[in-house]
Amino acid sequence: MKFNWGTGIVIAFIGFISFIMYFIITMNIDDKYNHDLVTEDYYAEELAYQKDIDKLKNSKNLIENITYQKTKEGLKILFPNNIDFKNITGKVFLYRPSNKQLDFDTAISLSKSYLLIPDNRLVDGRWNIKIDWQYNGKSYLFKESINY
């Protein structure tokens, strides 16, 4: 058989198509490449995003914002000292990008000026923390990525 340009081009197309098909099949079958959306109700959350922007703006106007620190007991979330912590309500949501089974949220109920998330609830690695809280009828939002 004589090998010419036409045969080479056909073989190149067949090789390329075979590679793409292998790649598509591997990505669809292998669970290692299975990634979920950040949230199940993505579009509904997108519509409420302006409220989050307003809450973030309120947080930036505070004299002192929320801070956090890693302790041996867990993650300590410190609320501003210049406000009465007994009037703070809201939720803390911790999102683990690599494993949604580790995601959890907890209500804010303070007996001290901080909230402690126990060490046994958090595994080492990256977490996204979102604190949606209210004080005296005004809403605030704290969002940050942390490495625990």
Side-chain angles (χ1 to χ4, degrees):
M1 178 172 136
K2 194 169 190 180
F3 187 78
N4 59 26
W5 282 101
T7 307
I9 290 173
V10 169
I11 291 173
F13 276 129
I14 290 172
F16 179 73
I17 291 169
S18 299
F19 169 73
I20 295 297
M21 290 304 293
Y22 168 77
F23 184 71
I24 290 170
I25 291 169
T26 303
M27 293 296 287
N28 285 327
I29 292 175
D30 197 350
D31 286 337
K32 180 171 74 172
Y33 301 113
N34 188 13
H35 297 288
D36 296 323
L37 287 173
V38 172
T39 61
E40 295 296 325
D41 201 9
Y42 178 78
Y43 294 106
E45 286 193 20
E46 185 68 26
L47 294 174
Y49 196 66
Q50 183 60 44
K51 292 178 186 174
D52 285 352
I53 293 171
D54 295 339
K55 291 176 189 178
L56 284 168
K57 200 179 294 184
N58 290 340
S59 294
K60 289 186 181 193
N61 291 334
L62 288 172
I63 296 169
E64 181 184 347
N65 204 350
I66 291 176
T67 58
Y68 62 89
Q69 55 186 228
K70 182 180 177 181
T71 64
K72 56 186 169 183
E73 293 89 26
L75 183 67
K76 189 184 275 190
I77 300 169
L78 304 159
F79 287 89
N81 288 328
N82 59 341
I83 61 175
D84 183 17
F85 63 86
K86 294 174 186 161
N87 295 334
I88 296 174
T89 59
K91 281 195 167 199
V92 176
F93 179 68
L94 279 113
Y95 165 72
R96 178 76 177 197
S98 62
N99 187 351
K100 78 175 185 179
Q101 279 78 27
L102 296 175
D103 296 354
F104 67 92
D105 62 346
T106 184
I108 297 173
S109 177
L110 301 176
S111 58
K112 297 181 181 172
S113 65
Y114 64 87
L115 176 70
L116 180 66
I117 298 171
D119 187 53
N120 61 358
R121 302 249 355 231
L122 300 168
V123 296
D124 291 343
R126 181 171 176 240
W127 289 88
N128 291 342
I129 186 168
K130 181 178 177 182
I131 305 170
D132 190 354
W133 59 290
Q134 295 80 33
Y135 176 71
N136 287 342
K138 199 166 186 179
S139 295
Y140 302 93
L141 184 66
F142 177 82
K143 290 167 70 170
E144 196 161 320
S145 295
I146 62 172
N147 285 317
Y148 187 75

